[in-house]
């Protein structure tokens, strides 16, 4: 069962939804719509709830946060809804947001941000293997991506860049920019935001480089980048900085769009961090 | 049933006073011709941000603005017609669409977020969440007791907070005129796919006057003048969007063409010569707004 607004008439959600039975065209009712989807989850249907722009999660939030995510702790029941929360960039103050941090903050959710076909499958399995409400933080930038985007580990790396969602494409570019300037760089992908597990894949590169940078397309303050940087820092004892959006509105036009960190900005942030350590690069 | 003549008062163009009929036409022309220039500017690459056109629906704001002057306005994303009809400066709207600091919000907000707080106009900017303007209008009316106009679409009418705002306005007898510009579409999804109920019936059940009608401007003028004395009240106005939901393209001819109907009505009422003079004057002033050399200079292209 899939519920959402304007599914069939508007391009089948960027062609990510097949013309299949059990598609429910919701009226434009963003609060009740989420409640209806959570009700379907309660009834055991494992519904997919499509949110065309992540900013609308603020409206959908009440049934998701206050009902679905609290159900287990309160009543030992579950409402396993799969929320396809789609992010975009450059289309104004309430259509360009990345809000997965909000759902990391509240208890009761699983949160992941897949960018590759394989990761989407992995994330779906993660949802089906559990009974928690699931926030799948999608990004339109992932829909055209067919590549695997593996971690990049450089021998004797100077810094480890942890990248989330759309910034993964930019982090790879930043690593190339840095390499040209003599800075060796690990790029480690973060797909699973909550629970966030400090596996060896994640911590080992930082123990080598001894300095890290977490990049996220959402707001930096109290966001995924700060939260994960903190976990990494406490766990390894090495300094890790967060890089997300500046603390201002994403306006419609440039230069006021406050876009997700792009390669140049990531590289600059990395160099600033390294300058603080006094290391010299040639 | 959706129809171009739904609840339309016959010979409206001849019933309303001549100066009013012509003023409504002037405002219709202003939106239509402004947007003709905008469509070209988009095609020529001078406007690159998304645009939500009022063309096809412009008779609603034109008639309302004459019938109900001076309200505090809370419009939805499709707001060029409201802004221009109520007296917003076309140059500032153009600049907003071009992302210039001289725009209605310094070029930061764009087509769907237009505000106006000058020349006696009080129009609050939308932020892009559909229907958000309706509870804001109700709260404004509650706090200020000022005559307030909430304009929204048939999709917005489905939002939880829009429906409950209607109920709240009815309970508190607030001076809000609710106008639903019912173009039958939420993006591309038709009303019948989304719901089986009418917003006018809901408003009626809440205890306010509510009417379904078509977008004949003379009928809107005559009815809005009456309904605004009995607020809270709701008008659900059937209309046709001429262009895409967002952007300047078209999907073939709309269900009806109100602009041609209006011209024919003016001919029938013996006002064609005067109407043509008005249209000519609007064309001239909008040509200045969209003059190519100026656009090139402003956009640096
Ligand atoms: C709260 C919210 N939900 C969904 C959307 C996505 N959206 C933008 S415009 C639109 C359709 C609006 O339809 P309607 O209110 O009838 O206005 P129209 O565009 O037809 O003038 C939708 C669903 C949004 N911007 N905000
Ligand atoms: Mg509509």
């Amino acid at each position: 069962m899939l519920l959402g607004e304007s599914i069939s008439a508007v391009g089948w959600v960027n062609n990510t939804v097949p013309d299949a039975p059990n598609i429910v065209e919701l009226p434009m009712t963003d609060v009740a719509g989420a409640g209806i989807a959570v009700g379907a989850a309660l009834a055991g249907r494992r519904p997919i709830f499509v949110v065309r722009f992540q900013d609308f999660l603020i409206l959908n939030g009440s049934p998701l946060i206050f009902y679905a995510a609290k159900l287990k702790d309160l009543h030992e029941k579950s409402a396993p809804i799969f929320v396809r929360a789609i992010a975009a960039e450059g289309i104004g103050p309430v259509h360009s947001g990345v809000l997965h941090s909000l759902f990391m903050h509240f208890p009761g959710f699983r949160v992941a941000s897949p960018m590759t076909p394989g990761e989407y499958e992995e994330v779906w399995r993660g949802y089906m293997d559990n009974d928690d409400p699931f926030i799948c933080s999608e990004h339109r930038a992932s829909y055209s991506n067919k590549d695997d985007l593996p971690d990049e580990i450089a021998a004797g790396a100077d810094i480890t860049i942890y990248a989330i969602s759309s910034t993964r494409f930019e982090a790879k570019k930043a690593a190339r920019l840095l390499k040209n300037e003599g800075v060796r760089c690990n790029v480690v992908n973060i797909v699973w935001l909550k629970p966030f597990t400090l596996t060896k894949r994640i911590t080992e590169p930082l123990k080598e480089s001894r300095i890290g940078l977490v990049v996220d397309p959402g707001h930096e303050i109290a966001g995924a980048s700060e939260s994960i940087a903190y976990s990494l820092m406490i766990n390894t004892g090495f300094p890790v900085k967060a890089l997300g959006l500046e603390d201002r509105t994403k306006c419609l036009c440039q230069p006021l769009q406050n876009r997700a960190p792009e390669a140049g900005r990531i590289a600059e942030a990395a160099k600033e961090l390294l300058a603080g350590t006094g290391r010299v690069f040639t | 049933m959706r129809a171009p003549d739904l609840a339309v008062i016959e010979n409206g163009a001849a019933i309303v006073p001549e100066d009013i009929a012509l003023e409504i036409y002037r405002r219709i022309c202003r939106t239509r011709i402004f947007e003709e220039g905008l469509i070209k500017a988009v095609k020529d690459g001078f406007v690159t941000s998304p645009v939500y056109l009022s063309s096809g629906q412009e008779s609603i704001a034109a008639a309302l603005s004459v019938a109900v002057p001076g309200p505090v306005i809370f419009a939805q994303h499709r707001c060029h017609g409201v802004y221009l009809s109520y007296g917003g400066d076309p140059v500032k709207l153009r600049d907003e669409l071009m992302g210039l600091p001289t725009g209605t919000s310094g070029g930061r907000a764009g087509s769907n977020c237009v505000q106006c707080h000058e020349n006696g106009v009080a129009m609050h900017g939308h932020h892009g969440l559909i229907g958000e303007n309706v509870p804001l209008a109700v709260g404004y009316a509650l706090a200020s007791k000022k005559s307030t106009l909430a304009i929204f679409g048939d999709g917005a009418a489905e939002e939880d907070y829009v429906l409950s705002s209607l109920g709240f306005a009815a309970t508190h007898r607030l001076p809000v005129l609710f106008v639903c510009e019912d173009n039958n579409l939420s993006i591309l999804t038709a009303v019948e796919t989304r719901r089986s109920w009418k917003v006018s019936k809901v408003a009626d059940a809440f205890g306010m006057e509510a009417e379904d009608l078509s977008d004949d401007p003379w009928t809107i003028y005559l009815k809005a003048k009456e309904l605004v004395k009995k607020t809270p009240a709701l008008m659900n106005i059937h209309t046709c969007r001429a262009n895409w939901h967002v952007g300047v393209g078209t999907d073939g001819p709309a269900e009806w063409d109100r602009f041609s109907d209006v011209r024919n009505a003016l001919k029938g009422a013996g006002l064609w010569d005067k109407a043509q003079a008005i249209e000519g004057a609007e064309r001239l002033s909008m040509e200045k707004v969209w003059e190519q050399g100026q656009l090139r200079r402003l956009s640096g292209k």
Side-chain angles (χ1 to χ4, degrees):
Chain A
M1 185 179 206
L2 179 143
L3 305 94
E5 295 171 21
S6 294
I7 302 294
S8 58
V10 189
W12 299 90
V13 193
N14 302 74
N15 281 320
T16 61
V17 174
D19 186 357
N22 299 325
I23 289 176
V24 180
E25 289 283 355
L26 288 173
M28 193 162 57
T29 179
D30 290 278
V31 185
I36 291 164
V38 171
L42 264 180
R45 286 298 294 268
R46 287 208 168 251
I48 298 173
F49 178 57
V50 178
V51 181
R52 297 296 277 263
F53 294 96
Q54 287 200 10
D55 291 281
F56 304 164
L57 284 167
I58 296 289
L59 298 172
N60 315 137
S62 180
L64 296 174
I65 294 167
F66 299 128
Y67 199 89
K70 291 190 190 295
L71 204 52
K72 200 176 258 184
D73 288 351
L74 279 177
H75 303 302
E76 294 180 321
K77 291 200 168 46
S78 70
I81 181 175
F82 186 84
V83 181
R84 285 191 52 196
I86 303 168
E89 180 67 279
I91 40 182
V94 301
H95 290 77
S96 312
V98 174
L99 273 71
H100 46 226
S101 304
L102 203 62
F103 294 83
M104 296 162 66
H105 177 69
F106 288 105
F109 291 104
R110 279 170 195 273
V111 187
S113 182
M115 283 292 119
T116 73
E119 289 168 4
Y120 272 97
E121 290 184 3
E122 179 192 331
V123 159
W124 177 256
R125 282 195 299 276
Y127 161 66
M128 291 302 282
D129 288 347
N130 291 283
D131 64 352
D132 300 308
F134 201 107
I135 304 296
C136 181
S137 175
E138 302 185 7
H139 198 291
R140 284 198 200 176
S142 71
Y143 293 160
S144 54
N145 174 50
K146 297 197 177 71
D147 297 337
D148 274 344
L149 305 179
D151 291 347
E152 293 173 9
I153 304 298
D158 302 298
I159 186 166
T160 301
I161 299 179
Y162 295 91
I164 301 167
S165 181
S166 61
T167 66
R168 287 169 57 185
F169 302 108
E170 296 300 314
K172 282 167 79 81
K173 286 185 219 158
R176 286 198 291 279
L177 292 178
L178 288 165
K179 193 173 173 195
N180 290 341
E181 299 187 35
V183 179
R184 285 155 303 178
C185 200
N186 297 323
V187 180
V188 175
N189 299 298
I190 296 184
V191 178
W192 293 88
L193 298 168
K194 190 177 190 182
F196 176 67
T197 319
L198 289 157
T199 58
K200 282 206 157 132
R201 175 182 77 82
I202 287 178
T203 54
E204 289 305 307
L206 179 59
K207 287 179 185 160
E208 289 297 317
S209 67
R210 306 169 73 84
I211 198 157
L213 177 68
V214 183
V215 192
D216 179 62
H219 282 283
E220 185 175 301
I221 297 179
S225 57
E226 274 195 359
S227 165
I228 288 173
Y230 174 83
S231 299
L232 288 166
M233 205 151 24
I234 290 293
N235 178 272
T236 63
F238 293 117
V240 183
K241 194 188 173 309
L243 179 66
L245 297 184
E246 291 169 22
D247 189 25
R248 57 188 174 85
T249 295
K250 289 170 87 76
C251 293
L252 182 66
C253 293
Q254 281 292 44
L256 301 171
Q257 286 186 350
N258 194 12
R259 294 177 76 87
E262 282 159 350
R265 219 180 121 212
I266 298 172
E268 280 312 309
K271 281 192 286 185
E272 243 171 65
L273 260 178
L274 291 167
T277 68
R279 280 188 256 173
V280 181
F281 302 92
T282 48
Chain B
M1 264 301 283
R2 204 175 146 72
D5 55 356
L6 180 74
V8 161
I9 297 168
E10 265 193 60
N11 288 329
I15 294 172
V16 302
E18 179 180 315
D19 56 330
I20 298 244
L22 291 170
E23 181 57 22
I24 291 174
Y25 186 60
R26 192 185 68 74
R27 297 183 192 191
I28 289 175
C29 288
R30 168 142 303 196
T31 300
R32 175 62 67 128
I33 300 168
F34 175 89
E35 288 194 345
E36 282 171 15
L38 170 57
I39 291 168
K40 185 160 189 315
V42 168
K43 291 181 174 162
D44 292 344
F46 294 120
V47 171
T48 52
S49 61
V51 292
Y52 300 81
L53 300 188
S54 298
S55 289
Q57 309 187 178
E58 64 275 58
S59 67
I60 300 177
L64 275 177
S65 65
V66 178
V68 185
V72 180
I73 303 165
F74 289 84
Q76 192 161 292
H77 59 296
R78 198 172 303 291
C79 62
H80 298 173
V82 176
Y83 172 86
L84 293 169
S85 292
Y86 268 96
D89 179 355
V91 170
K92 286 198 170 170
L93 177 55
R94 175 202 66 194
D95 290 357
E96 184 65 24
L97 300 173
M98 293 181 72
L100 300 172
T102 40
T104 48
S105 294
R108 295 179 298 273
S111 169
N112 56 342
C113 307
V114 179
Q115 64 168 348
C116 185
H117 297 283
E118 58 181 20
N119 308 331
V121 185
M123 175 172 172
H124 292 267
H126 188 72
H127 287 185
L129 283 178
I130 300 302
E132 67 185 354
N133 48 318
V134 179
L136 297 174
V138 168
Y140 199 99
L142 175 75
S144 70
K145 301 284 179 268
K146 286 188 185 161
S147 167
T148 305
L149 179 63
I151 309 186
F152 52 97
D154 51 288
E158 294 158 7
E159 285 288 8
D160 334 64
Y161 39 89
V162 172
L163 293 172
S164 41
S165 302
L166 293 178
F168 186 87
T171 302
H172 294 267
R173 307 304 309 161
L174 298 177
V176 185
L177 182 62
F178 297 94
V179 176
C180 180
E181 294 195 13
D182 182 348
N183 58 16
N184 201 36
L185 292 173
S186 173
I187 308 184
L188 284 170
T189 307
V191 169
E192 61 168 14
T193 312
R194 302 171 352 232
R195 59 173 148 108
S196 60
W197 47 269
K198 290 182 174 180
V199 66
S200 56
K201 294 269 192 219
V202 177
D204 176 64
F206 276 137
M208 69 172 83
E209 288 227 17
E211 291 212 37
D212 277 291
L213 62 154
S214 187
D215 59 358
D216 172 72
W218 334 112
T219 304
I220 296 172
Y221 170 80
L222 293 166
K223 294 210 170 168
K225 258 177 97 71
E226 288 312 308
L227 281 174
V228 76
K229 292 180 202 150
K230 303 181 196 164
T231 49
L234 179 140
M235 303 171 85
N236 186 74
I237 306 179
H238 294 262
T239 188
C240 304
R241 198 180 74 207
N243 297 81
W244 287 340
H245 167 66
V246 53
V248 301
T250 54
D251 289 326
E255 276 173 277
W256 62 83
D257 178 358
R258 183 60 65 192
F259 193 54
S260 307
D261 295 347
V262 165
R263 288 172 160 190
N264 289 333
L266 289 167
K267 279 179 200 157
L271 297 175
W272 187 231
D273 289 345
K274 287 180 180 160
Q276 271 188 311
I278 285 171
E279 187 177 328
E282 281 304 318
R283 207 163 276 291
L284 216 59
S285 67
M286 290 306 110
E287 270 165 17
K288 285 198 192 112
V289 171
W290 293 110
E291 192 267 317
Q292 285 265 331
Q294 195 183 192
L295 295 185
R296 231 172 266 125
R297 186 173 53 75
L298 288 169
S299 65
K301 284 183 179 154

